[in-house]
Amino acid sequence: RLEMVVAPKRFVAVLDQQRLLTGWTAVILDRKGVVVARVPSSDGLVGQPASDALLSELKQRSLGSFRTRTREGADVVAGFTRSASHGWSVAIGVPESILNARLRNPLALSATAALLLLVAGLALAGAIGRRIARPVQALVAPALAVGRGDAPTIAPTALKEAADVGAALQRAHELLRERD
């Protein structure tokens, strides 16, 4: 049997090389779930068992994430993996406040963009609605004129449907005159 002893400082150096963001926590555990290295502040934790929550998760599966609290009391989302061949594990905890802040900014930007698009869409719909309503509303007076037996005065319009109704009102007036 061949064994090798590696100082915990070397494992801490490996974790430091990962350049974790401020507030993140990383830990390396041996196959028994004992802390080999931890950043930040591995002092006093090397040689101690990992948290009960992490050990419980590692017993259930070799890869995953869960919500927990660090020894310092920070609420984190922890991701972990365990080597199938050696049984060693690595876990990284990201404070929920940092995750939420990173989600909050894009979410606020998306909500603002959606609101602006909604306002623009409503303004456009209003403009189109007014453009349709004006020629249709302009047909009321000619329709009443036909009802009174008077000749309708139809204003020219670019709205094909309104122009068709105007032409129909003129034709209806002509038919009524012929019948009389």
Side-chain angles (χ1 to χ4, degrees):
R1 179 174 162 177
L2 179 64
E3 289 188 22
M4 182 171 81
V5 177
V6 179
K9 289 182 200 176
R10 295 217 184 219
F11 290 109
V12 170
V14 169
L15 291 177
D16 282 338
Q17 288 174 355
Q18 305 313 305
R19 297 187 178 147
L20 300 176
L21 297 179
T22 303
W24 290 32
T25 304
V27 64
I28 298 175
L29 308 173
D30 68 11
R31 72 182 72 191
K32 294 179 184 174
V34 174
V35 175
V36 175
R38 182 177 189 267
V39 291
S41 68
S42 62
D43 297 337
L45 297 175
V46 172
Q48 300 295 317
S51 70
D52 292 337
L54 180 54
L55 291 174
S56 173
E57 292 290 331
L58 285 167
K59 285 180 186 175
Q60 295 175 37
R61 52 200 170 135
S62 62
L63 176 70
S65 64
F66 66 103
R67 294 172 70 177
T68 189
R69 184 167 281 181
T70 64
R71 294 183 190 264
E72 295 83 13
D75 291 324
V76 298
V77 174
F80 63 91
T81 185
R82 182 181 62 237
S83 166
S85 59
H86 295 75
W88 283 50
S89 305
V90 175
I92 297 176
V94 180
E96 286 185 12
S97 60
I98 292 174
L99 278 178
N100 291 341
R102 288 182 175 253
L103 293 175
R104 199 174 301 121
N105 294 339
L107 185 60
L109 182 62
S110 295
T112 301
L115 182 62
L116 290 173
L117 287 172
L118 176 64
V119 168
L122 289 173
L124 183 61
I128 292 171
R130 284 188 297 278
R131 198 167 165 207
I132 293 171
R134 275 190 217 113
V136 171
Q137 187 66 34
L139 293 172
V140 171
L144 292 173
V146 170
R148 287 189 307 267
D150 298 334
T153 304
I154 309 294
T157 179
L159 183 63
K160 181 188 180 312
E161 291 80 2
D164 290 348
V165 172
L169 285 173
Q170 285 178 330
R171 180 70 180 133
H173 173 70
E174 292 168 9
L175 290 173
L176 286 173
R177 288 188 77 208
E178 287 175 10
R179 190 180 311 158
D180 290 341

